[in-house]
Amino acid sequence: MIRFRESELFYDPLITFFKGNYRNLPLPEMDQGKLMLHLFFRYILNTGLSLIVLWVAFREKGIITFASIFYSIVFVLLIIVLNVLFATQDIGEYLPVFYVRRFLIQPILLFILLPAFYYYRKVNS
């Protein structure tokens, strides 16, 4: 849902960069503060939708609380890693940037948490 409108809703010059032949190009000029802010907004939207899915699936406050804390910690860690990667990447070595950014802009963590909570619930019931 969010991905279909990403170009209109969010500032992210890396979308077009990674769609092109980026292997021999430097990172595009970007407003890094604005990019971080828009990554934060997108992460919050995906987190909110993921928490709704988890609530519909499990209807347990403890799971939602844990997932909220987990999402917060992961965001802080990934933003730090992304900023370090921006500062240290050489031309053509962008796969770490691509994948860290992907974890921030897509609800990948939901696909990890759903089976984990299902297993947790099955084992503890």
Side-chain angles (χ1 to χ4, degrees), residues 17 32 49 60:
F17 177 73
Q32 198 164 341
L49 292 173
E60 289 184 32

Side-chain angles (χ1 to χ4, degrees), residues 27-104:
L27 284 172
E29 290 292 322
M30 61 185 138
D31 181 345
Q32 198 164 341
K34 187 175 179 181
L35 176 63
M36 294 301 137
L37 183 64
H38 282 252
L39 287 174
F40 173 73
F41 288 146
R42 190 162 178 181
Y43 190 82
I44 291 297
L45 284 172
N46 282 325
T47 298
L49 292 173
S50 297
L51 292 175
I52 290 169
V53 169
L54 290 171
W55 176 254
V56 168
F58 300 106
R59 299 213 187 259
E60 289 184 32
K61 186 178 178 185
I63 286 177
I64 302 304
T65 302
F66 177 83
S68 299
I69 294 167
F70 180 75
Y71 272 104
S72 300
I73 292 169
V74 167
F75 177 77
V76 170
L77 292 174
L78 289 176
I79 282 294
I80 291 170
V81 169
L82 186 63
N83 280 301
V84 169
L85 289 172
F86 278 150
T88 61
Q89 291 299 292
D90 290 326
I91 293 175
E93 298 177 0
Y94 300 126
L95 281 181
V97 170
F98 176 79
Y99 287 114
V100 169
R101 187 181 138 277
R102 178 168 264 178
F103 265 91
L104 286 167

